Amino acid sequence: MNDLKNMKLDVRTPSAAPAPLIDAHIHVDSYPPEQQELLLASLADSSVEAVIAVSMHLASSRANLRLSERFPGLVRPAFGFHPEQPLPSQAELDLLFDWMDKHVEHMVAVGEVGLPYYNRLEALERGVSFDLAPYIELLERFVRFAGKHNKPIVLHAVYEDADIACDLLERHGVTQAHFHWFKGSAATTERMARNDYYVSFTPDLLYEDEIRSLATRYPSGQVMAETDGPWPFEGPFAEQQTHPRMTAEVIRAYSRLTGQDETAVRQLFYDNTKRFYALSAF
Ligand SMILES: [Zn+2]
């Protein structure tokens, strides 16, 4: 059935190129240094127009800013502090926020920020207590920053943590929220969809039932594709270095799952990502 649809489309628009790809979430600066420029230089050959380069902390934010200067338009940096790591001192966090204030016009978004679901789970499994409160406090500070500067916010917040993130976003009137690689309950998913938040699918959309189910339920106007590279994937991607071109496979999987034409879905993902990150405005 899909083949028939594609054939029809080919007849109608024989020379139209598919929409470009945008990787909505990747840690470019976490690739080995010698591979970062190679990866970025290879994007044009894979029809990748841009990547949203999220940051782990201040040094990572600085590195992504430098990459965005070397590859203008291609690397769209987001600055923040990844929650799955120990918190630095208040003074170090103040430095990060001061730096973000100074570079606010260079950032497409605040991120990656959120709550440490996996670290907390691991601590609890080891019988070690885990204090979530300072992470919630820090996330609220990032939410306020995003609201003040009218920036989208990139969230690592899964399962019950997503509800805490929703509470903070709602409290501060922040509506431009992207829950990357989201997993969570039906109730949370409905709340996020209602609030016009976005989600993105990684290459595990090809083989993870939980993610495949989400893809069929979430509003198609609020979805994007990402790799979270250099995070490695399984299934058909086993042993491969994660590359933004894999978002094409994510889009193909989504089109099959939802029974829509692949070219149309590729355009949809492109439009969604451009709109969410206001990429035309930069
Ligand atoms: Zn990430």
Side-chain angles (χ1 to χ4, degrees), residues 192-265:
M192 285 163 44
R194 224 177 21 246
N195 284 358
D196 206 22
Y197 302 156
Y198 283 52
V199 300
S200 51
F201 305 112
T202 73
D204 78 350
L205 182 62
L206 276 80
Y207 55 84
E208 278 292 342
D209 287 341
E210 187 181 9
I211 304 294
R212 291 167 73 81
S213 158
L214 174 68
T216 60
R217 287 182 284 119
Y218 211 76
S220 62
Q222 295 157 236
V223 297
M224 301 184 276
E226 60 151 314
T227 61
D228 205 19
W231 186 271
F233 290 93
E234 298 163 24
F237 311 104
E239 311 298 321
Q240 287 182 45
Q241 184 185 63
T242 295
H243 188 284
R245 77 168 84 84
M246 291 176 180
T247 55
E249 301 302 321
V250 176
I251 288 169
R252 181 168 301 140
Y254 183 90
S255 72
R256 286 181 180 160
L257 268 170
T258 58
Q260 299 178 72
D261 174 79
E262 186 181 335
T263 308
V265 168

Side-chain angles (χ1 to χ4, degrees), residues 25 27 54 82 112 156 180 226 228:
H25 186 107
H27 299 262
V54 292
H82 196 291
E112 179 169 358
H156 168 106
H180 104 92
E226 60 151 314
D228 205 19

Side-chain angles (χ1 to χ4, degrees), residues 79-227:
F79 305 138
F81 185 89
H82 196 291
E84 300 281 4
Q85 57 187 329
L87 286 179
S89 67
Q90 204 54 45
E92 280 176 85
L93 288 173
D94 290 345
L95 273 180
L96 170 63
F97 277 93
D98 286 349
W99 187 89
M100 285 169 58
D101 252 326
K102 278 199 199 81
H103 295 93
V104 76
E105 77 276 18
H106 298 122
M107 64 200 284
V108 295
V110 174
E112 179 169 358
V113 300
L115 294 169
Y117 183 83
Y118 299 104
N119 277 0
R120 186 168 81 253
L121 195 67
E122 195 205 0
L124 297 179
E125 278 169 5
R126 282 187 290 120
V128 178
S129 68
F130 191 100
D131 187 9
L132 190 59
Y135 286 91
I136 296 175
E137 206 175 292
L138 176 59
L139 177 56
E140 182 158 25
R141 195 172 168 188
F142 280 122
V143 169
R144 280 201 311 267
F145 183 99
K148 179 180 164 199
H149 295 286
N150 194 29
K151 294 284 180 187
I153 187 164
V154 190
L155 291 153
H156 168 106
V158 295
Y159 301 114
E160 59 267 30
D161 286 356
D163 278 303
I164 302 174
C166 286
D167 289 344
L168 295 175
L169 294 166
E170 288 170 5
R171 184 179 310 156
H172 295 285
V174 171
T175 55
Q176 301 174 79
H178 169 193
F179 285 73
H180 104 92
W181 209 342
F182 174 71
K183 308 160 183 84
S185 72
T188 310
T189 306
E190 278 161 31
R191 180 182 184 186
M192 285 163 44
R194 224 177 21 246
N195 284 358
D196 206 22
Y197 302 156
Y198 283 52
V199 300
S200 51
F201 305 112
T202 73
D204 78 350
L205 182 62
L206 276 80
Y207 55 84
E208 278 292 342
D209 287 341
E210 187 181 9
I211 304 294
R212 291 167 73 81
S213 158
L214 174 68
T216 60
R217 287 182 284 119
Y218 211 76
S220 62
Q222 295 157 236
V223 297
M224 301 184 276
E226 60 151 314
T227 61

